[in-house]
Amino acid sequence: MSDRYVLISTDSHAGPTAERYREYVDPQYRDAFDQAAREAEELAKLRDSDDHRKFLAEWNAEIGIHGGMKGAYDPAVRDKEMDHDGVAAEVIFPDADAAGVGGVSRTPFTAGLGSTGTADPELTLAGAWAHNRWLAEFCQHSPERRAGVAIVPMHDVQKAVRLIEWAAEQNLHGGIMIPTKWIGLPSYNDPVYHPVWAAAAEAGLPVHTHSGVGPDESDYGYTPGLISIYTTEAYWWAARPLWCLILGGVFERHPTLRYGLAENGAWWVPDIIERMDKKWEGDHSTRKFGPSVFRSELSMKPGDYVNRNVFFAASVMGEAEVERRYQIGVDNLTWGSDYPHPEGTWPHTREWLAERFGGVPQDEARRILGLTAAKLYHFDLAALAPHVERIGPTVAEIHGVSGVHGVSGVHEAGV
């Protein structure tokens, strides 16, 4: 085994400037694109603050020597920054600028991380196509290192299936991303979506939801504490599809479907799965319903579907995920740098890895940091080997000079 780690980020982001995005928007929607860009600019002015300006100055100074935000859309700069951080390959989601850090644009018509089902379906689909076309071209640069994630709105099932088929044809083997919230649409346990799950499973493309949306002004109004409420609840909105898919029998009907929750941590996973398992088993608190209510769609316990079908792209990964990795499942966890978001590990990924994984046995760390992702996303390890030997973090970098050479011992994998 190489002394270096195969480091694969399962949560990275990319997207160009608004001017560049405009080229990929179908001509009939460009006037609407221009209007939306003007409205976004005005909204950004209204939300500006001294704190945000201070942050931008500090952030831009920190990343200035790294080409700033150019790596969001310039593949040469991006390769350089991946090398700097030791990242051999990455899974690429939309919205490199998800919080106004400057220099790049959000996905057209809020079709990316901010999609909730409430926007105009036609424009949302146009924005998704624009991003996906750009992404397919972007991933042709250093293709062995990139797995693009196609955006798939869910307003129209047949159009969603066509997008999945197109993504497979374009080798966007990062899979697809569906909206985290489905306001005004059927929830994801509804049988109407079965053609979507079947198409993704047949193509071997993982389905993702990604943290980003949460409560907004329409939920609470401009009340005190809105941002604090948002940051507290955002994980819940991104987690909600998990139990809809499990308890709605989606994985029962589509046993090869893989579903990943990106940039949403995994600290919460053991507790919610334990509660679902207890209900399936028929504990005291559910006697009045009868166990058949909880088993009607499922031949296995909810936790068994997690182990078989679900993974958690827990991104930067806090101490809680590392400490609870056996309860979550070592093989259910993958790491991500969240490049180029400022809440990610770039440009200090190597230091972050040493802090978080220095005490984790090598065999477990190798799986979480790259080997599990290589299987999930069909990365060619032979094609990545030259990059790994050139820039991959060493055992000494992560574990110290002596390294942590032990193995995990006997632990039950999974929740």
Side-chain angles (χ1 to χ4, degrees):
M1 182 177 291
S2 170
D3 185 57
R4 296 183 179 271
Y5 273 83
V6 179
L7 192 60
I8 298 176
S9 171
T10 56
D11 178 43
S12 297
H13 300 266
T17 61
E19 293 80 9
R20 182 66 169 151
Y21 255 146
R22 191 178 189 276
E23 300 173 20
Y24 291 85
V25 174
D26 286 327
Q28 65 267 37
Y29 301 114
R30 287 178 184 166
D31 287 344
F33 176 86
D34 294 339
Q35 177 63 27
R38 288 191 292 269
E39 292 173 356
E41 186 175 345
E42 291 302 314
L43 184 60
K45 291 178 182 178
L46 292 175
R47 292 179 174 176
D48 199 11
S49 66
D50 291 340
D51 284 343
H52 187 62
R53 286 190 291 271
K54 181 176 181 290
F55 158 74
L56 279 179
E58 294 172 349
W59 174 242
N60 289 331
E62 180 179 2
I63 66 175
I65 62 173
H66 298 275
M69 291 292 289
K70 286 185 67 176
Y73 55 86
D74 185 321
V77 174
R78 195 177 188 95
D79 284 347
K80 175 177 171 290
E81 291 312 304
M82 292 173 69
D83 290 355
H84 170 82
D85 271 10
V87 177
E90 60 177 353
V91 179
I92 305 175
F93 288 89
D95 291 318
D97 183 1
V101 299
V104 290
S105 178
R106 292 192 181 191
T107 307
F109 306 120
T110 322
L113 302 184
S115 182
T116 65
T118 59
D120 181 284
E122 185 176 354
L123 290 179
T124 301
L125 186 63
W129 272 111
H131 175 80
N132 293 342
R133 293 182 192 118
W134 175 84
L135 181 65
E137 290 187 12
F138 183 78
C139 288
Q140 292 174 11
H141 301 272
S142 303
E144 77 282 2
R145 304 183 76 175
R146 313 205 200 287
V149 178
I151 300 170
V152 176
M154 299 288 272
H155 300 89
D156 185 307
V157 168
Q158 292 307 313
K159 290 177 181 178
V161 169
R162 175 60 195 131
L163 259 176
I164 292 169
E165 294 170 345
W166 179 88
E169 293 165 3
Q170 298 296 316
N171 195 31
L172 290 175
H173 56 101
I176 68 169
M177 185 186 80
I178 61 177
T180 294
K181 293 172 81 172
W182 50 75
I183 297 173
L185 299 174
S187 61
Y188 291 147
N189 57 305
D190 195 296
V192 70
Y193 296 117
H194 285 328
V196 175
W197 316 135
E202 183 178 356
L205 297 179
V207 174
H208 303 84
T209 51
H210 190 291
S211 182
V213 299
D216 55 29
E217 291 88 347
S218 65
D219 296 307
Y220 291 103
Y222 289 95
T223 58
L226 177 62
I227 296 301
S228 298
I229 294 169
Y230 164 80
T231 57
T232 300
E233 291 188 355
Y235 98 89
W236 183 88
W237 289 102
R240 189 181 182 212
L242 172 66
W243 48 82
C244 289
L245 292 169
I246 293 176
L247 301 178
V250 171
F251 301 128
E252 177 76 18
R253 296 180 181 86
H254 306 280
T256 63
L257 181 68
R258 301 307 300 263
Y259 167 61
L261 290 88
E263 200 180 329
N264 201 44
W267 50 271
W268 50 273
V269 171
D271 299 325
I272 192 68
I273 299 303
E274 181 182 22
R275 293 187 67 182
M276 287 197 287
D277 280 353
K278 291 297 184 184
K279 288 177 173 56
W280 186 89
E281 292 166 353
D283 67 357
H284 177 75
S285 66
T286 58
R287 285 172 58 200
K288 61 186 178 183
F289 298 109
S292 61
V293 171
F294 298 94
R295 297 182 184 180
S296 61
E297 300 292 333
L298 311 178
S299 64
M300 304 190 298
K301 291 191 299 184
D304 294 331
Y305 295 101
V306 171
N307 290 334
R308 188 186 71 184
N309 297 91
V310 182
F311 62 98
F312 304 93
S315 198
V316 177
M317 207 172 296
E319 294 176 358
E321 281 80 17
V322 175
E323 292 172 356
R324 304 190 79 183
R325 63 190 183 276
Y326 300 124
Q327 294 170 277
I328 299 165
V330 171
D331 292 321
N332 298 100
L333 274 172
T334 64
W335 169 87
S337 71
D338 198 19
Y339 176 86
H341 291 172
E343 63 269 31
T345 61
W346 173 73
H348 307 291
T349 293
R350 295 176 191 268
E351 295 92 326
W352 273 87
L353 293 175
E355 178 183 339
R356 288 287 188 269
F357 291 92
V360 176
Q362 280 189 50
D363 67 320
E364 296 174 11
R366 287 184 183 277
R367 284 143 63 191
I368 294 171
L369 294 178
L371 295 185
T372 296
K375 294 178 182 178
L376 284 169
Y377 294 102
H378 308 291
F379 281 107
D380 185 341
L381 288 175
L384 292 180
H387 299 293
V388 173
E389 292 306 312
R390 183 171 51 84
I391 53 91
T394 65
V395 169
E397 279 185 85
I398 295 181
H399 302 292
V401 175
S402 61
V404 177
H405 295 289
V407 295
S408 57
V410 179
H411 294 279
E412 182 180 357
V415 182

